[in-house]
Amino acid sequence: MGDAAEIIVGTAGKAYRADVGSTFPAGPEEVWGAGFTDLGFITPDGLEEALEEERTQLEAWGEDAPVIDLAKKRTQTFKLVFRQTNAYMLSLYYQVKLASMTSTAAATTPSPKKQFISFGSGSTADTIEIALGLDVIMSGKRHRIMIARCGVSDRGAVKHSAEDSSNFELTFTALAAPGGAQSVQHMITDVELPTP
């Protein structure tokens, strides 16, 4: 029987980054720790989560169907489009470590100059990996996704125009977690397990 209370519509959401190895909150209602930084506004498209599998089927002599179907590899991706331009976003998009960026302070004399950040891009030596935390929120319900280690595997073009903000479309791919932990954990409020 249908139950409208089980329909989730992600009306809001947040994305947080931290260093790989950071401790995630123990529950979906708990605040993110001091090591997690809010990555800023996300476009109304929200979060696109995908799970792909590569499978191997083993056949047996005399059988007309596979006898074993093995999952060979599972790849989880998370796609978001961010509106804000900040150092964390520039680091992820251009794959430049924060330590490789330079900030030049504002000056008032001899002539006024604004503060600016500068960095080079194009080197494959820098690979940025982060811990990523995602919250999908709807009417008091929360779906929290915690990715222990991930990197940007795809990015959309940044468009500079008067019609829209300069957005950063990033697809994160979950990587094997440090220490053999789960690479992706989900916490969803108000979903009960069936009684056995």
Side-chain angles (χ1 to χ4, degrees), residues 79-124:
K79 179 178 167 184
L80 295 150
V81 182
F82 296 92
R83 285 209 185 274
Q84 290 182 228
T85 300
N86 53 48
Y88 291 113
M89 196 55 53
L90 294 169
S91 171
L92 288 168
Y93 187 85
Y94 291 105
Q95 289 293 287
V96 178
K97 294 179 180 171
L98 293 174
S100 299
M101 295 181 172
T102 302
S103 179
T104 301
T108 55
T109 58
S111 60
K113 292 181 182 176
K114 289 190 171 189
Q115 176 274 341
F116 65 92
I117 192 171
S118 57
F119 56 90
S121 62
S123 171
T124 56

Side-chain angles (χ1 to χ4, degrees), residues 15 62 80 92 112 128 135 138 169 176 178:
L80 295 150
L92 288 168
I128 310 302
D135 278 336
M138 177 250 172
E169 179 186 307

Side-chain angles (χ1 to χ4, degrees), residues 24 29 32 37 45 64 78 93-94 99 109 118 127-128 135 152 154 168 191 193:
F24 285 101
E29 302 291 319
W32 292 92
T37 303
D45 298 329
D64 60 359
F78 305 86
Y93 187 85
Y94 291 105
T109 58
S118 57
T127 299
I128 310 302
D135 278 336
V152 176
D154 196 16
F168 296 91
V191 176
L193 283 175

